[in-house]
Amino acid sequence: MTMRSAKRAGAWRKVGLAGLLIGLLSGCAEVGQSVQNAVNDVSAAFQPKEQAPAVPPPTSYCYRTLGKVNCYAQPLPGSEANRLIGYQGPAPRSSSGTGPLSP
C-alpha cells in the first residue's frame, strides 16, 4: 500500500464516519421530536377543558296539597307558607329564619 492510497483510505474512513454520525444524529432528532410530542400530549390531558358556563337550574317552589306535591315558578302568598316543603332558587321569605331548607 502506497502512501497515497493510505491517505485516500483514511479520507474515506473520515467521510464514512461523518456520514454515520450524521445518520445517527438525525435519528436522535426524530426521537427527540416524538418524545416532545408525547410530553405535549400528556400535558394537554391534564389541562382543564373549556366548558360552557353553567346554566342555573330553574327556580321552583314546591307545596304539599291533598295527595300530591305541586311546584310553581313563583312562591305562593305568605298564608300558604306552612305548606312549603322545598324550593330551588332564592328563598321565598328572605326575612324569616324558619321554613324548609333549600336542597
Side-chain angles (χ1 to χ4, degrees):
M1 185 181 235
T2 66
M3 183 66 122
R4 191 176 205 177
S5 63
K7 284 184 180 180
R8 195 176 290 164
W12 281 110
R13 281 189 200 142
K14 288 179 183 177
V15 169
L17 183 59
L20 180 64
L21 286 175
I22 290 171
L24 289 175
L25 292 176
S26 68
C28 290
E30 290 175 12
V31 170
Q33 184 60 39
S34 64
V35 168
Q36 183 64 39
N37 290 342
V39 168
N40 290 342
D41 290 344
V42 169
S43 297
F46 290 100
Q47 295 297 322
K49 303 284 187 237
E50 294 294 325
Q51 296 179 352
V55 177
T59 302
S60 62
Y61 301 90
C62 299
Y63 296 87
R64 183 179 327 128
T65 61
L66 293 175
K68 66 179 188 173
V69 174
N70 289 335
C71 296
Y72 305 95
Q74 298 293 324
L76 295 179
S79 61
E80 304 292 329
N82 62 338
R83 296 189 307 122
L84 182 67
I85 60 170
Y87 64 94
Q88 185 170 353
R93 299 176 310 213
S94 60
S95 62
S96 173
T98 62
L101 301 175
S102 177

